[in-house]
Amino acid sequence: MSETARATAARTAPAPDANRWKALVFIALAQLMVVLDATIVNIALPSAQQDLGISDGNRQWVVTAYALAFGGLLLFGGRIADLWGRKRAFVVGLAGFAVASALGGAATGQAMMFGARALQGVFGALLAPAALSLLAVMFTDAKERAKAFGIYGAIAGGGGAVGLLLGGFLTEYLDWRWTFFVNVPFAVVAAAGAYFVIREPRGDRNRSPLDIPGVILSTLGLVALVYGFTRAESDGWSDALTITMFVASAVLLAAFVLVESRVKAPLLPLRVLTDRNRGGVYLSLGLAVIGMFGLFLFLTYYLQVVKGYSPVRSGFAFLPMVAGMITGSTQIGARLMTRVPPRLLMGPGFLVAALGMGLLTRMEIDSSYASVLLPGMLLLGLGMGTAFMPAMSLATHGVEARDAGVASAMVNTSQQVGGAIGTALLNTVAASATTAYLTDHIAGATTRSQQQLVQLQAMVEGYTSAIWFAVGILLAAGVIALVLVNTGRPGTGSGSAAGEGAEDEVLVPVIAH
């Protein structure tokens, strides 16, 4: 783009919203609430199960009901945000999430609990893409965008660990019901602030009629995929229904792609997916989340079962990871994003995270927190924070404003599917390693104390085996980011292909138009 054309484009772009930084506070608060909810309930699950009389066979539905609704409806929620307007979708999503959370906290039986969790997932699927797409259309200056997405990336990466801390505190000192009730003030403050502060740019809605076949196929396909991985975790990969879910998901999602390539107004325009850089972001983020979700689970059990930590102390143990994510996102990623190409933040970030994950494979029953867990979690957080920040920004980088909602939804979809895969896959690896260790060593344990020691050692063996698997996945995420993501730093127009370079150069007028 010539200097004259660049100057003309800058003059024609609307002035940025004066309240955009105030709006970021409420968008970040809403995102924190959604991310917290993904882990906070896990800590409260044993207490809730006992109070509500939920059987061991049904307890998984407290997590699964939310995951299925959230993961299945994300693309639909992103499209609704593009159609209604992101501010309206954001406020409605917050209000619905607050009501669903109140119902969950007041649950008197398992049916009410499962219904409340599913309803949380429905409104979360509307809220999450609306929040990210609001950032995309409100922050158009490269340096401001870097700062805004640095904050957002830190919350998206570190919120899960904060959820473990808050969940432990609420469960131990108050009651498990407060892990649901705590969402209500979050949602009320965020919705009120958004209503009065957010001014969404005009003229960027996608008013095309809804692609109903696409909605049905994508929702059923994603639900089948998430449920397949969830069932694999509890019933095994060779279970008939597990296999059926995977086959059904493949058929439904293939049909979805076929429909999207032919309809006039697709739910997910394939141009969003086929862009090399966005495709690299979705794939690398999904892989990174596979490792992260598995690690949260294993470290929680290691700290509480093997080391004997209380829920609150376990939550505090995760704080170095949160500190690392905040530092990596706001101090490294945000400061360097306008100076270096995104791949030089994402690739090394994932590789540093893999190094931190590798240190955690040294865990033993008597490992020191300060010498093993602390440096591992700190490096993991630094790497993830550095990588997440440019990834979140690049996912909506250069996308047409009318597609910002579905592009944002794809970020959440890749993370949700990655979380489902990570929990199922890494749990399977850990369980196999634990069983193999027990088979080889339990016969030599003749006393009760020796048997307990062997069982604990078998658990640690399972965790470290799964973490080694996660190291490999993070290395793959780093390689994918370095190879596929080839755009230059924001504003340089240095993509390798002509189309990509042009897309970089017109970022400001396109998103703000």
Side-chain angles (χ1 to χ4, degrees), residues 1-2 6 9 397 491-494 498 500-509:
M1 181 183 284
S2 68
R6 195 188 299 274
H397 180 71
T492 63
S494 59
E500 289 159 353
E503 187 180 67
D504 269 344
E505 291 186 323
V506 299
L507 172 63
V508 172

Side-chain angles (χ1 to χ4, degrees), residues 302-303 307 309 359-360 362-376:
Y302 172 78
L303 291 170
K307 303 295 285 184
Y309 283 22
L359 293 179
L360 295 175
R362 298 163 51 218
M363 287 191 312
E364 299 287 349
I365 293 177
D366 56 352
S367 291
S368 162
Y369 175 84
S371 63
V372 177
L373 297 182
L374 178 61

Side-chain angles (χ1 to χ4, degrees), residues 73-122:
L73 293 171
L74 271 168
L75 287 178
F76 183 46
R79 178 66 180 85
I80 290 295
D82 288 335
L83 178 65
W84 285 1
R86 287 110 205 168
K87 175 180 175 178
R88 181 182 299 176
F90 185 72
V91 173
V92 170
L94 281 166
F97 201 90
V99 171
S101 298
L103 289 174
T108 55
Q110 63 179 16
M112 188 174 175
M113 171 60 75
F114 300 157
R117 289 291 284 161
L119 200 60
Q120 278 186 314
V122 170

Side-chain angles (χ1 to χ4, degrees), residues 314-335:
S314 297
F316 274 109
F318 280 97
L319 286 183
M321 187 188 300
V322 178
M325 285 181 176
I326 293 173
T327 302
S329 189
T330 62
Q331 301 304 310
I332 300 175
R335 291 177 183 272

Side-chain angles (χ1 to χ4, degrees), residues 131-443:
L132 183 56
S133 56
L134 275 171
L135 287 189
V137 299
M138 293 182 73
F139 290 89
T140 55
D141 175 76
K143 289 186 178 179
E144 288 193 348
R145 186 178 174 89
K147 292 178 183 177
F149 275 89
I151 294 169
Y152 187 90
I155 291 171
V162 175
L164 294 172
L165 172 60
L166 186 58
F169 180 84
L170 292 173
T171 302
E172 190 167 333
Y173 293 112
L174 293 173
D175 185 82
W176 66 265
R177 295 181 183 276
W178 281 98
T179 61
F180 288 90
F181 290 144
V182 74
N183 290 330
V184 177
F186 273 93
V188 169
V189 172
Y195 182 81
F196 290 108
V197 170
I198 291 178
R199 298 290 182 268
E200 186 180 353
R202 295 187 179 186
D204 59 359
R205 293 188 190 179
N206 185 343
R207 301 184 185 275
S208 304
L210 275 178
D211 168 23
I212 300 301
V215 169
I216 294 171
L217 288 171
S218 67
T219 300
L220 293 178
L222 288 171
V223 164
L225 183 62
V226 173
Y227 184 58
F229 281 111
T230 302
R231 188 171 177 87
E233 179 190 354
S234 57
D235 294 80
W237 296 90
S238 59
D239 175 71
L241 185 55
T242 300
I243 296 171
T244 301
M245 287 295 105
F246 286 138
V247 172
S249 173
V251 171
L252 289 165
L253 292 178
F256 170 67
V257 172
L258 182 63
V259 167
E260 299 307 276
S261 67
R262 298 188 176 187
V263 297
K264 185 177 179 181
L267 172 69
L268 176 63
L270 296 185
R271 60 181 174 268
V272 173
L273 284 180
T274 53
D275 176 83
R276 173 175 180 162
N277 291 288
R278 277 192 293 276
V281 167
Y282 297 147
L283 186 56
S284 60
L285 265 184
L287 286 171
V289 171
I290 289 176
M292 283 289 290
F293 264 65
L295 183 72
F296 281 155
L297 185 67
F298 298 139
L299 282 185
T300 299
Y301 276 101
Y302 172 78
L303 291 170
Q304 293 191 32
V305 177
V306 178
K307 303 295 285 184
Y309 283 22
S310 68
V312 170
R313 190 181 178 191
S314 297
F316 274 109
F318 280 97
L319 286 183
M321 187 188 300
V322 178
M325 285 181 176
I326 293 173
T327 302
S329 189
T330 62
Q331 301 304 310
I332 300 175
R335 291 177 183 272
L336 295 180
M337 184 181 160
T338 56
R339 302 178 186 179
V340 301
R343 69 179 179 275
L344 297 184
L345 291 172
M346 291 175 61
F350 287 135
L351 296 179
V352 169
L355 175 61
M357 191 84 82
L359 293 179
L360 295 175
T361 61
R362 298 163 51 218
M363 287 191 312
E364 299 287 349
I365 293 177
D366 56 352
S367 291
S368 162
Y369 175 84
S371 63
V372 177
L373 297 182
L374 178 61
M377 287 197 285
L378 196 57
L379 283 175
L380 182 64
L382 276 171
M384 283 296 199
T386 301
F388 265 55
M389 184 265 150
M392 292 289 183
S393 177
L394 192 57
T396 52
H397 180 71
V399 73
E400 295 180 43
R402 61 188 174 134
D403 296 334
V406 290
S408 303
M410 275 303 301
V411 178
N412 290 284
T413 300
S414 67
Q415 290 179 300
Q416 184 68 21
V417 171
I421 295 172
T423 303
L425 180 63
L426 297 183
N427 259 350
T428 302
V429 173
S432 298
T434 296
T435 301
Y437 187 92
L438 279 174
T439 302
D440 292 341
H441 296 84
I442 197 65

